[in-house]
Amino acid sequence: MTPKIARYLAEQQPATPCLIVDVDRVADRYHALQEAMPLAHIYYAVKANPAQAILERLVALGSSFDAASIGEVRMCLDAGASADRVSFGNTVKKVSAIREAFALGVDLFVFDSEEELAKLAEHAPGARVYCRLAVENEGADWPLSRKFGTTLDHGRDLMLRARTLGLDPYGLSFHVGSQQTDTAAYEAAIARVAMLFTDLSAAGLNLRMVNLGGGFPVRYQSDVPEIDQFGLAIGHAMTRHFGNDLPTMLIEPGRFLVGDAGVVSSEVVLVSRRGGAETDPRWVYLDIGRFGGLAETEGEAIRYRFQTPHDGQATGPTVVAGPSCDGVDIMYEKRRVELPMALTSGDRVELLSTGAYVSTYCSTGFNGFAPLSEHYI
Ligand SMILES: *Cc1c(COP(=O)(O)O)cnc(C)c1O
């Protein structure tokens, strides 16, 4: 947690559950990423945290944006981004969304299917389009490969068809999966994409762009490689496969820019030995859970770090659950969390690095619990 957040929590004691985000930290991460990958254009993946304070700071820093819906497109424009800095990066778009985005000046759209390409040709005529390819998501804690992207062969057909339909076949994209902890995933994906890029260029298409997606990790419970290591691996792979003729490189970081800029502050509602015996598992119920924004604990995939008033004292394995009456509202049970035995109801517990994929995953009032409040400082 940054000193600014620590001070804010101590002085303000905001009501829980709440999310505190240090927007200066987002700017620091943006600069670190720029330094690690000086040739890449940063398109912030808005879905990670669309707070206006974050979007406005990134606009001021010169960032571009990856929007997944017409709502996100509008948020970027409202924050001051010009339309030529917005990419409509969802392969699944309503016709009404395509039409409105195009009318607003957005000129960069992704697709991975015939029907989406036909929609784009009709409702965003002449726009720059890029095809998303499916790549291995091995090494990612939050994979995305089953739902998006197509094969090299199909991508080739689609890109050729894009030209026939009067669109501008601009480039190719992939996503190696979110919270990707292996730099080799990018190298393997770049090798794949380069094959098709070269092939399509030989077929006469004027491809100019490779979109490397997001995936860059933040530290939760385990260490992850530094961003410089990703930069080096990507830089080497790009020059190995494209030589001196580098295409425009886009990256779409979400988690990396905002994840460790945020802290969730929560309250222990109950500590319970289910069954009553000392040997029975100890459960800690917090006032935030799966429906309060911690959706990425699904499958116990993302493992947040906890900070408590009793840190440094004796700990025991603990099941951590949310406050609602839903049985799936359990964050960590299969792999328990070591939490202090002294923990008791009323204690404040902080969940670290929760700036990404928390605020907007919060339900609107399931079980009558108010959505978590947000503080951008
Ligand atoms: C979610 C998403 C991102 C951001 O991924 P992170 O792992 O948060 O960096 C980038 N691009 C696309 C297309 C996405 O869907």
Side-chain angles (χ1 to χ4, degrees):
M1 129 163 31
T2 71
K4 196 159 74 157
I5 294 179
R7 205 177 329 117
Y8 187 86
L9 283 171
E11 286 171 3
Q12 309 286 328
Q13 304 250 327
T16 65
C18 60
L19 171 68
I20 325 291
V21 176
D22 182 345
V23 184
D24 291 336
R25 179 76 183 160
V26 177
D28 291 345
R29 299 275 80 186
Y30 183 88
H31 289 130
L33 192 55
Q34 253 184 340
E35 245 169 65
M37 293 173 222
L39 294 178
H41 299 268
I42 298 175
Y43 280 67
Y44 172 57
V46 175
K47 76 172 188 285
N49 187 325
Q52 184 159 1
I54 289 174
L55 299 183
E56 285 177 352
R57 177 64 75 90
L58 289 171
V59 167
L61 290 168
S63 184
S64 295
F65 298 89
D66 169 51
S69 65
I70 191 61
E72 285 188 356
V73 169
R74 290 191 205 116
M75 286 180 215
C76 294
L77 301 184
D78 288 348
S82 55
D84 63 355
R85 287 191 175 270
V86 178
S87 165
F88 205 149
N90 190 340
T91 54
V92 183
K93 296 176 285 299
K94 283 187 176 180
V95 161
S96 59
I98 295 171
R99 291 176 69 95
E100 184 179 335
F102 192 63
L104 288 167
V106 174
D107 177 46
L108 186 56
F109 297 85
V110 74
F111 68 92
D112 67 359
S113 65
E114 275 88 359
E115 193 173 72
E116 193 70 11
L117 194 55
K119 283 194 255 172
L120 289 169
E122 186 174 348
H123 302 287
R128 290 176 301 162
V129 294
Y130 59 98
C131 183
R132 178 153 169 185
L133 301 172
V135 298
E136 278 296 330
N137 274 204
E138 189 77 33
D141 289 342
W142 197 258
L144 300 163
S145 57
R146 275 184 52 232
K147 189 168 171 184
F148 307 106
T150 188
T151 61
L152 291 190
D153 282 347
H154 188 216
R156 186 177 194 280
D157 292 345
L158 290 174
M159 287 299 279
L160 291 168
R161 183 182 306 194
R163 177 175 60 180
T164 311
L165 290 171
L167 292 160
D168 178 359
Y170 181 55
L172 301 171
S173 78
F174 60 81
H175 197 300
V176 293
S178 199
Q179 187 66 6
Q180 174 56 258
T181 54
D182 188 357
T183 56
Y186 291 90
E187 298 173 300
I190 288 167
R192 255 175 89 73
V193 166
M195 279 195 285
L196 180 56
F197 197 98
T198 309
D199 184 23
L200 284 170
S201 301
L205 289 198
N206 178 26
L207 296 196
R208 287 100 79 204
M209 184 277 283
V210 172
N211 180 340
L212 309 163
F216 309 106
V218 306
R219 185 181 183 281
Y220 294 108
Q221 283 186 10
S222 314
D223 282 335
V224 296
E226 294 294 329
I227 196 63
D228 300 4
Q229 291 174 252
F230 287 93
L232 280 177
I234 286 171
H236 284 150
M238 287 299 291
T239 39
R240 187 177 322 132
H241 295 287
F242 290 95
N244 281 330
D245 208 9
L246 280 186
T248 297
M249 285 162 60
L250 269 52
I251 51 175
E252 300 173 331
R255 189 185 305 277
F256 179 81
L257 288 182
V258 295
D260 78 352
V263 169
V264 161
S265 188
S266 72
E267 182 184 317
V268 175
V269 183
L270 177 71
V271 180
S272 153
R273 285 272 177 205
R274 304 275 309 287
E278 274 305 299
T279 49
D280 285 325
R282 188 174 68 132
W283 285 60
V284 166
Y285 300 84
L286 301 176
D287 63 359
I288 185 169
R290 190 68 69 71
F291 302 101
L294 305 180
E296 287 198 315
T297 57
E298 165 84 41
E300 310 194 10
I302 298 294
R303 299 191 68 84
Y304 299 115
R305 254 186 313 156
F306 293 85
Q307 190 170 301
T308 79
H310 312 289
D311 287 352
Q313 300 175 31
T315 64
T318 308
V319 179
V320 183
S324 76
C325 296
D326 192 305
V328 307
D329 189 9
I330 301 170
M331 282 84 87
Y332 305 114
E333 182 180 21
K334 291 194 187 74
R335 268 178 66 202
R336 305 207 174 151
V337 185
E338 281 295 321
L339 286 177
M341 299 305 288
L343 212 56
T344 181
S345 60
D347 281 344
R348 274 186 98 114
V349 169
E350 267 75 57
L351 286 77
L352 307 185
S353 299
T354 39
Y357 303 118
V358 171
S359 60
T360 47
Y361 268 141
C362 188
S363 69
T364 53
F366 177 58
N367 251 190
F369 294 109
L372 96 166
S373 61
E374 299 172 56
H375 308 253
Y376 293 86
I377 61 175

